[in-house]
Amino acid sequence: MSHRIDIYKNATEPYNGLLAINAHLKKSVLPADLVELVFLRVSLINGCAYCIDKHSRDLIKSGMSIDKLLLVPVWYEAGALFTPREKAALAWSEVVTRIGETTAPDADYAAVTSHFNPAEYAELTMAIALMNAMNRLAISGRMTPQAALQ
């Protein structure tokens, strides 16, 4: 693999802006585990090894079972393992991450807003947007997942 320019070292101020959004989301109106779950799903869709590794580890540390973690890619087939609210967040994560294909239909918007109040919806959508940005930086920068360093 070729050496890539370190984006953080060369664009520290804007990167710190993204980290500030992340810090806000960790103490937002949304439960931290739900934010991590969304981060993981977005990262799985985008194929970001670094972020998949990081958010999987964070969810395990917070107490998520391995059984549930393994079924995040197919949450819609996991029955009651995911709550209706988690399912709504995961579905919206897919819609927003694939925005070029989905165009965020009204039916999908109605589905997510039936589970989240306006402040929660706004922060959920910010979390999805943030993780899409972070995935693009990590993938293009070839950030190495912790598991690959061991």
Side-chain angles (χ1 to χ4, degrees), residues 3-46:
H3 177 72
R4 303 279 174 113
I5 294 169
D6 185 321
I7 294 172
Y8 180 75
K9 287 182 183 174
N10 290 281
T12 305
E13 189 173 341
Y15 200 103
N16 281 339
L18 294 175
L19 295 178
I21 295 169
N22 187 53
H24 169 80
L25 290 169
K26 298 295 182 177
K27 56 183 170 71
S28 77
V29 297
L30 296 172
D33 285 352
L34 182 65
V35 172
E36 286 296 327
L37 185 63
V38 165
F39 284 173
L40 177 59
R41 183 63 190 124
V42 170
S43 299
L44 286 162
I45 293 166
N46 289 326

Side-chain angles (χ1 to χ4, degrees), residues 7-150:
I7 294 172
Y8 180 75
K9 287 182 183 174
N10 290 281
T12 305
E13 189 173 341
Y15 200 103
N16 281 339
L18 294 175
L19 295 178
I21 295 169
N22 187 53
H24 169 80
L25 290 169
K26 298 295 182 177
K27 56 183 170 71
S28 77
V29 297
L30 296 172
D33 285 352
L34 182 65
V35 172
E36 286 296 327
L37 185 63
V38 165
F39 284 173
L40 177 59
R41 183 63 190 124
V42 170
S43 299
L44 286 162
I45 293 166
N46 289 326
C48 182
Y50 177 86
C51 296
I52 292 167
D53 182 82
K54 180 192 182 320
H55 299 296
S56 294
R57 290 173 188 278
D58 290 346
L59 285 164
I60 291 167
K61 284 180 195 168
S62 73
M64 180 177 280
S65 72
I66 296 296
D67 291 339
K68 186 171 181 175
L69 182 70
L70 291 172
L71 292 177
V72 171
V74 291
W75 60 268
Y76 45 84
E77 293 183 17
L81 194 56
F82 294 91
T83 68
R85 192 167 151 94
E86 288 171 332
K87 290 177 183 179
L90 291 165
W92 190 241
S93 297
E94 293 180 7
V95 167
V96 175
T97 298
R98 297 181 174 118
I99 197 83
E101 301 163 27
T102 69
T103 68
D106 289 344
D108 293 322
Y109 172 80
V112 72
T113 57
S114 72
H115 291 277
F116 294 91
N117 69 38
E120 293 169 331
Y121 161 79
E123 292 202 353
L124 173 63
T125 306
M126 287 294 298
I128 296 164
L130 172 66
M131 190 47 44
N132 274 286
M134 297 301 280
N135 287 168
R136 280 145 180 79
L137 295 174
I139 294 167
S140 64
R142 295 290 189 263
M143 291 177 68
T144 306
Q146 182 179 338
L149 297 173
Q150 298 174 359

